[in-house]
Amino acid sequence: MFLAYRVCMTNEGHPWVSLVVQKTRLQISQDPSLNYEYLPTMGLKSFIQASLELLFGKHSQAIVENRVRRRALPWLILTKRGGLWLVRGGGGVCVPTELHGLVFQDMGFTVCEYSIWDPKKLCVDPNILLNVVEQIPHGCVLVIGNIIDCKLTPSGWAKLVSMIKSKQIFPFFDIPCQGLYTGDLEEDTRILQYFVSQGFEFFCSQSLSKNFGIYDEGVGILVVVAVNNQQLLGVLSQLKGLAEALWLNPPNTGARIITSILCNPALLAEWKQSLKEVVENIMLTKEKVKEKLRLLGTPGSWGHITEQSGTHGYLGLNLKKHIYIPKNSQINFSCINANNINYITEGINEAVLLTEGSEICLPKEKKL
Amino acid sequence: MFLAYRVCMTNEGHPWVSLVVQKTRLQISQDPSLNYEYLPTMGLKSFIQASLELLFGKHSQAIVENRVRRRALPWLILTKRGGLWLVRGGGGVCVPTELHGLVFQDMGFTVCEYSIWDPKKLCVDPNILLNVVEQIPHGCVLVIGNIIDCKLTPSGWAKLVSMIKSKQIFPFFDIPCQGLYTGDLEEDTRILQYFVSQGFEFFCSQSLSKNFGIYDEGVGILVVVAVNNQQLLGVLSQLKGLAEALWLNPPNTGARIITSILCNPALLAEWKQSLKEVVENIMLTKEKVKEKLRLLGTPGSWGHITEQSGTHGYLGLNLKKHIYIPKNSQINFSCINANNINYITEGINEAVLLTEGSEICLPKEKKL
């Protein structure tokens, strides 16, 4: 049993697809008015606009303010094709996962990996994040993934912002599945609005494959937030050159389906509802896992399972059986369903009993 | 009027789409058995196999021989995403078009552009090709586009092969629209089989967007022909690393449609027939242009128009009116239809009359 698939799984053990996607796909294939011509190098305009509004909110203060003040639009958007890349090239980068590391390594970056999960305290620790930022080199790129569970205090946020600014760290947000953390699209990207409000320049890659269930199209955008128009134009020109050499014309299918959904209020509502249902289902699975472990009398505290948001979560132990989990113990809870939950929780229980007292890191009762 | 669109146009002035593609697209969208999961990094296997057979022929001697002799399969195939790239990195490259140049320039190559069209003799000149190969630096990459109209003699071929070998030039074939030159799929890629038979190692990029009419998906493959298995594995490993960092999972839509067509004999026959019709239509357009110019009494010889294969062809002059053609005078004849042929040929006639006797290069009567 492999519990670390990248994507959200259904109760039947298949990758999840929002029902509204299937409906829209069929609609599109029957529409004789559509053409299948080349897209512009920088992507389908309506798709970019819709994705951007999804990320920052249609009425987000930042966007509205910028329009009102007639400043240069601070976002340059680029269709992102599968990989993330940063134009600077070279230098150091600090990444939250191995996969991010591979992407940056290929471009000549010196890569270091960080994790904000504390395997002893069994929680995402804001202090670890602050330590990471304190220790990484000046001028480094910092890739920030899902930190929704990282509950920074107001003074923690202030410290984070001041360190990033003074050390000239370049933030690169990665939003691989907006809406699949809390079930609320706005809640999942609140951090972007915070960084905009603090006057940062940053990159943000947004993938829309997982939250729509279009896994075979790698659809998404790269957003650049610059501090002024001149800088934006410079970046734009470099990115355009790269895009011309890399793909020239991006693929349409995924972008077309998603645009149709995001621009139609009825379809949009259906999609939002489907995200809510997925997340509720995952929370239910987590509750069940915790309850089964309690009934089995498994030693340790398992509250951390339900305290984490989203499909993926740290189980908090190393275990072997025929259950395979990554070294860091982060698993995809949507891989657990009615058919395998008993096998899995019994496996966890057994592993815990067998290794109790040994040096292997196990969940211990939390000190309150 | 712009006459240099990259793609094949219908009589109505729209980008051409093979009817069988529309049918297949609809079929696929209604098939509940299909999933939309991630493709492997190196692409959809059935698509790669089908594209490969299209390029080299299902029963091509080279493939059969290699299987019989149980040699390592000499092709490593990689889904090509929009751009071509060569792993060597750096060095010199000689390209037939500006667009190829941009791609290689981005990777740090020193680029030089060549053309085998002789604007004086109004034909594709085999001697120019031989001269190009003679003059480019040792160890250079040579991108070879459509040279079907380049009628090398047997001794010319021998000279070409011997120069490429002795100068260690690395051939990189680009097949952007197989079947749209002569209307015959095999005829259009005969040169590949020749290079295989001569024991060359080479790259070949095949785009399938234009010959199916799926312009918005950039679907195609990169084929590597190596001389031995060890070398092949080395290239494979490098390319796989690049593919992981660049796209991780390639897009499916175009590959799925094309595979469905290529693997179904009835659909395949329909597609082949549609290619034939397109090419016949273009030849008819060329005949009409020539005839109209004759009727207008336009000075010069215009036989070169019908002597060239495929959608694109050199008009053989520089002209301005409201007709815009590239500097090298190569236009897309499928852009000419019943609605604009009079305007265009009259424009050509006018331009020729106005500039006759001047230094501007015009088609002159050929010396036989």
Side-chain angles (χ1 to χ4, degrees):
Chain A
M1 237 164 253
F2 183 65
L3 298 180
Y5 287 109
R6 282 194 285 158
V7 313
C8 186
M9 308 297 272
T10 62
N11 287 337
E12 293 73 36
H14 302 303
W16 171 81
V17 177
S18 180
L19 283 180
V20 71
V21 166
Q22 296 172 3
K23 197 162 82 175
T24 310
R25 191 191 300 277
L26 191 61
Q27 228 164 39
I28 285 173
S29 69
Q30 291 169 332
D31 185 343
S33 74
L34 295 175
N35 69 50
Y36 295 88
E37 294 170 27
Y38 291 114
L39 290 190
T41 300
M42 301 296 251
L44 190 67
K45 269 200 173 172
S46 52
F47 168 69
I48 292 167
Q49 187 56 30
S51 310
L52 199 59
E53 287 178 3
L54 194 65
L55 263 182
F56 293 93
K58 210 167 193 161
H59 308 290
S60 98
Q61 215 200 327
I63 293 186
V64 172
E65 267 181 16
N66 283 324
R67 280 196 188 134
V68 172
R69 292 190 198 156
R70 296 185 68 86
R71 274 210 227 126
L73 197 65
W75 340 107
L76 153 68
I77 310 103
L78 241 197
T79 309
K80 171 200 158 216
R81 282 277 293 274
L84 337 158
W85 36 261
L86 196 55
V87 191
R88 297 181 167 206
V93 65
C94 205
V95 297
T97 74
E98 206 187 332
L99 194 56
H100 288 105
L102 282 174
V103 171
F104 283 92
Q105 199 172 20
D106 187 70
M107 291 178 290
F109 279 87
T110 309
V111 177
C112 70
E113 212 177 308
Y114 73 94
S115 166
I116 52 173
W117 172 254
D118 185 332
K120 295 227 168 85
K121 290 197 226 148
L122 295 170
C123 68
V124 164
D125 188 346
N127 289 319
I128 299 186
L129 180 63
L130 293 173
N131 274 340
V132 166
V133 177
E134 200 164 357
Q135 279 166 27
I136 60 176
H138 185 96
C140 184
V141 174
L142 176 66
V143 179
I144 302 170
N146 170 23
I147 60 165
I148 283 177
D149 293 329
C150 182
K151 304 294 179 205
L152 280 162
T153 58
S155 75
W157 278 111
K159 198 176 165 193
L160 184 73
V161 163
S162 115
M163 278 196 296
I164 292 180
K165 280 197 175 158
S166 69
K167 293 183 76 176
Q168 297 192 296
I169 288 165
F170 189 86
F172 192 138
F173 294 94
D174 184 29
I175 312 282
C177 42
Q178 189 184 355
L180 287 178
Y181 295 123
T182 64
D184 179 326
L185 288 161
E186 277 184 45
E187 187 63 35
D188 280 6
T189 54
R190 209 168 288 277
I191 189 167
L192 296 183
Q193 303 197 17
Y194 180 71
F195 270 72
V196 167
S197 74
Q198 296 293 315
F200 277 100
E201 55 173 358
F202 59 85
F203 275 20
C204 174
S205 58
Q206 177 195 32
S207 167
L208 296 162
S209 290
K210 294 193 190 79
N211 52 0
F212 282 87
I214 309 176
Y215 307 103
D216 62 344
E217 292 296 332
V219 60
I221 61 169
L222 177 65
V223 182
V224 177
V225 178
V227 282
N228 62 48
N229 194 30
Q230 201 181 357
Q231 243 181 1
L232 192 66
L233 289 177
V235 179
L236 169 65
S237 135
Q238 284 189 54
L239 288 180
K240 201 174 173 199
L242 278 173
E244 271 164 4
L246 275 174
W247 61 71
L248 200 58
N249 306 100
N252 200 353
T253 307
R256 182 172 264 170
I257 295 172
I258 291 171
T259 310
S260 302
I261 295 170
L262 293 180
C263 296
N264 176 317
L267 298 179
L268 178 62
E270 251 184 85
W271 175 60
K272 282 185 180 173
Q273 185 55 32
S274 73
L275 290 175
K276 277 214 176 71
E277 283 167 14
V278 167
V279 171
E280 278 167 17
N281 197 37
I282 289 160
M283 290 316 289
L284 212 62
T285 301
K286 288 180 175 174
E287 290 289 350
K288 280 185 199 158
V289 169
K290 200 170 81 171
E291 180 60 12
K292 292 252 177 201
L293 290 174
R294 195 188 64 79
L295 291 173
L296 288 166
T298 314
S301 150
W302 299 92
H304 60 281
I305 290 181
T306 46
E307 280 156 14
Q308 299 170 71
S309 323
T311 45
H312 287 64
Y314 294 94
L315 201 51
L317 80 168
N318 292 310
L319 71 90
K320 285 202 176 62
K321 206 187 165 184
H322 288 290
I323 304 168
Y324 302 100
I325 64 170
K327 254 201 308 207
N328 68 4
S329 104
Q330 195 187 35
I331 69 160
N332 179 348
F333 278 91
S334 72
C335 292
I336 303 178
N337 55 46
N339 295 324
N340 61 20
I341 190 166
N342 285 335
Y343 183 81
I344 288 165
T345 48
E346 281 158 19
I348 295 172
N349 182 49
E350 224 173 274
V352 171
L353 291 175
L354 273 171
T355 49
E356 214 181 3
S358 77
E359 280 302 294
I360 295 168
C361 179
L362 285 178
K364 292 185 190 123
E365 295 287 343
K366 275 193 195 174
K367 282 161 199 151
L368 294 175
Chain B
M1 239 165 254
F2 183 65
L3 298 180
Y5 287 109
R6 282 193 285 158
V7 313
C8 185
M9 308 297 272
T10 62
N11 287 337
E12 292 74 38
H14 302 303
W16 171 81
V17 177
S18 180
L19 283 180
V20 72
V21 166
Q22 294 172 4
K23 197 162 79 173
T24 311
R25 191 191 299 276
L26 192 60
Q27 229 163 39
I28 285 173
S29 69
Q30 291 170 332
D31 185 342
S33 75
L34 295 174
N35 68 50
Y36 295 88
E37 294 169 27
Y38 291 114
L39 289 191
T41 300
M42 302 297 251
L44 191 66
K45 270 200 170 172
S46 52
F47 167 68
I48 292 168
Q49 188 56 31
S51 311
L52 199 59
E53 287 177 6
L54 194 66
L55 263 183
F56 292 93
K58 211 167 192 160
H59 309 288
S60 98
Q61 214 199 329
I63 292 185
V64 172
E65 266 181 18
N66 283 325
R67 279 195 190 136
V68 171
R69 293 188 198 159
R70 294 185 69 84
R71 274 210 229 126
L73 196 66
W75 339 108
L76 152 69
I77 310 104
L78 241 197
T79 310
K80 173 202 155 214
R81 284 279 293 276
L84 337 158
W85 34 263
L86 196 55
V87 191
R88 298 182 168 204
V93 65
C94 204
V95 297
T97 73
E98 206 187 334
L99 196 56
H100 288 106
L102 283 175
V103 171
F104 283 93
Q105 198 173 20
D106 187 70
M107 292 179 291
F109 279 88
T110 310
V111 177
C112 70
E113 212 176 307
Y114 73 94
S115 166
I116 52 174
W117 172 256
D118 184 331
K120 296 231 166 82
K121 290 198 226 145
L122 295 171
C123 68
V124 163
D125 188 345
N127 289 320
I128 299 186
L129 180 62
L130 293 173
N131 274 341
V132 166
V133 178
E134 200 164 357
Q135 280 167 26
I136 60 177
H138 185 96
C140 183
V141 173
L142 176 65
V143 178
I144 302 170
N146 170 24
I147 60 165
I148 282 177
D149 293 329
C150 181
K151 304 294 180 206
L152 281 162
T153 59
S155 75
W157 277 112
K159 198 176 166 195
L160 184 72
V161 164
S162 117
M163 278 197 295
I164 291 181
K165 280 197 175 157
S166 69
K167 293 182 75 175
Q168 298 192 297
I169 288 165
F170 188 86
F172 192 138
F173 294 94
D174 184 29
I175 312 282
C177 42
Q178 189 184 356
L180 287 179
Y181 295 123
T182 64
D184 179 327
L185 289 161
E186 277 182 46
E187 187 64 34
D188 281 5
T189 55
R190 209 169 287 279
I191 189 167
L192 295 184
Q193 303 198 16
Y194 180 71
F195 270 72
V196 166
S197 73
Q198 296 293 315
F200 276 101
E201 55 173 359
F202 60 84
F203 275 19
C204 174
S205 59
Q206 178 195 33
S207 168
L208 296 161
S209 290
K210 294 193 190 76
N211 52 359
F212 282 87
I214 310 177
Y215 307 104
D216 62 345
E217 292 296 331
V219 61
I221 62 168
L222 176 66
V223 181
V224 178
V225 179
V227 282
N228 63 47
N229 194 29
Q230 201 181 354
Q231 244 182 358
L232 192 65
L233 290 177
V235 179
L236 169 64
S237 135
Q238 285 189 51
L239 288 181
K240 201 175 173 201
L242 277 173
E244 272 165 2
L246 274 175
W247 60 71
L248 199 58
N249 307 101
N252 200 354
T253 306
R256 181 172 263 168
I257 295 172
I258 290 171
T259 311
S260 302
I261 295 171
L262 293 180
C263 295
N264 177 318
L267 298 179
L268 179 62
E270 250 183 85
W271 175 61
K272 282 183 178 172
Q273 184 56 33
S274 72
L275 290 175
K276 277 213 177 71
E277 284 167 14
V278 168
V279 172
E280 279 166 18
N281 197 36
I282 290 162
M283 290 316 288
L284 212 64
T285 301
K286 288 180 175 174
E287 289 289 352
K288 280 185 199 157
V289 170
K290 200 170 80 172
E291 181 59 13
K292 292 253 176 198
L293 289 174
R294 195 188 65 79
L295 291 174
L296 288 167
T298 314
S301 149
W302 300 92
H304 60 282
I305 291 181
T306 47
E307 280 156 16
Q308 299 171 72
S309 323
T311 45
H312 287 65
Y314 294 95
L315 201 52
L317 79 169
N318 293 311
L319 72 90
K320 286 202 177 62
K321 203 186 170 186
H322 287 292
I323 304 169
Y324 303 99
I325 64 170
K327 254 202 306 207
N328 67 2
S329 102
Q330 195 186 34
I331 69 159
N332 179 349
F333 278 93
S334 71
C335 293
I336 302 179
N337 55 45
N339 294 325
N340 61 21
I341 190 166
N342 285 336
Y343 183 81
I344 289 165
T345 48
E346 281 158 19
I348 295 171
N349 181 50
E350 222 172 276
V352 171
L353 290 176
L354 272 172
T355 49
E356 214 181 6
S358 78
E359 280 303 294
I360 294 168
C361 178
L362 285 178
K364 294 189 187 120
E365 293 289 343
K366 275 191 196 176
K367 282 160 201 153
L368 294 173

